[in-house]
Amino acid sequence: MADKILQILPGAQKNIPLRDFTTYRIGGPAKYFFIAKTKEDLIAAAKAAKSLKLPIFILGGGSNLLISDKGFKGLVIKIDIYDVKLRDNKAVVGAGSSLTKLAYLLADNGLSGLEWAAGVPGTVGGAIYGNAQAFGTKICDAIESVEAVNIKTMELENFTEKQCLFSLKSSIFKKNTPRGTGKNLVIVSAILNFRKEDKATIKNKIEEFINYRKTNHPIDFPSAGSTFVNPEIKIKDKKMLEKYPELKGYNEKGIIPAGYLIAKAGLSGKKIGNAQISEKHSNFIINLGGAGAKDVSSLINLAQERVKNNFGILLVPEVQFVGF
């Protein structure tokens, strides 16, 4: 009876290590695991889980994610919907499509607007879910509409860019909203708008961003990407501004890099177990090899505590916690 889902959902698997599907290379087993290659697959899996009252977790590219060492005691549905169709200046893209591969495909077709995403390990669905951004550009800048499955009603719903309720590192798909549907929505595809530009110019931008990441990010070690959201806040405390003069420049921009705050709190290079706050970029917590979720979560808590004590700012994790 306990494994009935294996009987009613062809393709479902049992006790699959989730570390193999996360950029952190951390995570215990999924009790049940299923790969959805179409929206019909997703609906079938969601219906099967609902009939057996199994909790569901939707997995994309596995970035911005910390999965407990105990794993997930339900059904993990991995979204592998890869379809990409280019129509004039538009791209109709499956949620499981790689951001990096899409950026290069667009470049080959003279379409600009996603260069910033080259080198990002996530998927289009994950980027929309968390309104991913880099180098002053957000994924919402390209959105025309998003198609999602409501796993409560099992119906397809379409959302305009405005209806997605994009905000800092968030969207209607990530949070509970007045409509009460947010947590039930699973992105399956999107229509993105881009602009024509010279192919060489686009590829030069991509190379510039890739080189920046190689120079400034600890890409030689597994991580979830940025650990915390950069606070959109201004420091008014005069003594603090005298102690940390760089804050004046950040005040002008209206945003403070979380990595700066963590470094000034004296935590660059701090290790717990085999996890470390990167010395190269302090908003990255890296897996030195064999780190557990507890090691990473302990560093996250420590960074929040120290930054709160030093600056009066509570850092908000960008990383999603699963199974804790």
Side-chain angles (χ1 to χ4, degrees):
M1 181 67 180
D3 293 337
K4 190 175 180 182
I5 193 164
L6 302 180
Q7 301 168 22
I8 65 174
L9 182 63
Q13 303 171 71
K14 187 177 180 181
N15 294 328
I16 299 300
L18 293 172
R19 64 177 177 272
D20 297 336
F21 297 93
T22 72
T23 58
Y24 246 140
R25 298 295 178 258
I26 291 173
K31 187 172 183 180
Y32 303 109
F33 185 85
F34 179 78
I35 296 176
K37 296 185 177 181
T38 65
K39 50 194 169 188
E40 290 77 18
D41 286 347
L42 168 61
I43 292 171
K47 284 182 176 178
K50 186 176 182 181
S51 70
L52 297 173
K53 298 182 179 178
L54 279 174
I56 294 173
F57 176 71
I58 304 298
L59 178 65
S63 60
N64 290 111
L65 187 63
L66 182 63
I67 297 177
S68 165
D69 300 315
K70 296 178 182 178
F72 184 73
K73 308 300 182 185
L75 175 65
V76 172
I77 304 174
K78 187 175 189 320
I79 305 297
D80 278 5
I81 304 172
Y82 296 130
D83 305 348
V84 178
K85 295 175 183 175
L86 301 182
R87 299 173 184 166
D88 298 321
N89 289 7
K90 300 180 189 291
V92 183
V93 186
S97 300
S98 159
L99 281 171
T100 296
K101 289 181 180 179
L102 180 60
Y104 280 107
L105 175 64
L106 293 170
D108 288 338
N109 285 272
L111 293 173
S112 175
L114 204 69
E115 294 91 332
W116 62 273
V120 174
T123 60
V124 170
I128 295 170
Y129 176 86
N131 195 17
Q133 60 180 294
F135 306 110
T137 305
K138 305 179 180 69
I139 190 71
C140 64
D141 297 334
I143 295 295
E144 177 176 308
S145 63
V146 176
E147 182 183 39
V149 170
N150 186 323
I151 57 174
K152 186 174 182 180
T153 64
M154 303 300 167
E155 294 180 353
L156 286 168
E157 297 185 24
N158 283 283
F159 297 82
T160 64
E161 185 274 337
K162 186 175 181 179
Q163 290 171 330
C164 290
L165 302 180
F166 288 113
S167 59
L168 181 64
K169 298 295 180 76
S170 191
S171 69
I172 190 175
F173 311 103
K174 188 174 182 178
K175 60 193 175 186
N176 289 316
T177 66
R179 287 176 59 176
T181 59
K183 291 295 184 180
N184 297 319
L185 297 170
V186 181
I187 299 164
V188 291
S189 68
I191 299 176
L192 308 178
N193 288 316
F194 300 103
R195 61 186 180 278
K196 286 287 186 182
E197 195 168 311
D198 176 66
K199 293 179 185 180
T201 301
I202 297 171
K203 291 181 178 180
N204 285 338
K205 286 182 186 177
I206 287 177
E207 281 303 304
E208 179 185 334
F209 294 147
I210 290 287
N211 290 332
Y212 178 90
R213 288 189 165 102
K214 286 179 179 177
T215 303
N216 296 282
H217 295 174
I219 61 174
D220 295 332
F221 295 93
S223 78
S226 297
T227 306
F228 298 100
V229 178
N230 293 326
E232 290 190 342
I233 192 171
K234 293 184 178 181
I235 299 293
K236 298 179 180 179
D237 187 298
K238 292 182 179 179
K239 289 184 178 179
M240 194 176 294
L241 291 172
E242 289 176 6
K243 185 176 181 179
Y244 305 105
E246 301 92 344
L247 289 173
K248 295 176 183 177
Y250 295 137
N251 276 348
E252 291 177 6
K253 297 177 181 178
I255 188 167
I256 307 174
Y260 168 84
L261 297 171
I262 295 167
K264 290 301 180 182
L267 290 175
S268 291
K270 174 67 178 176
K271 296 180 186 177
I272 294 180
N274 285 322
Q276 181 184 41
I277 293 176
S278 171
E279 294 176 294
K280 198 171 189 179
H281 192 312
S282 297
N283 198 21
F284 283 68
I285 296 176
I286 57 178
N287 181 354
L288 297 173
K294 285 185 178 179
D295 300 332
V296 176
S297 62
S298 295
L299 281 175
I300 288 173
N301 292 336
L302 179 62
Q304 287 180 306
E305 180 185 338
R306 290 279 186 90
V307 169
K308 179 69 173 175
N309 290 342
N310 278 40
F311 297 96
I313 296 172
L314 179 62
L315 292 176
V316 176
E318 186 173 333
V319 172
Q320 183 179 3
F321 299 87
V322 178
F324 285 85

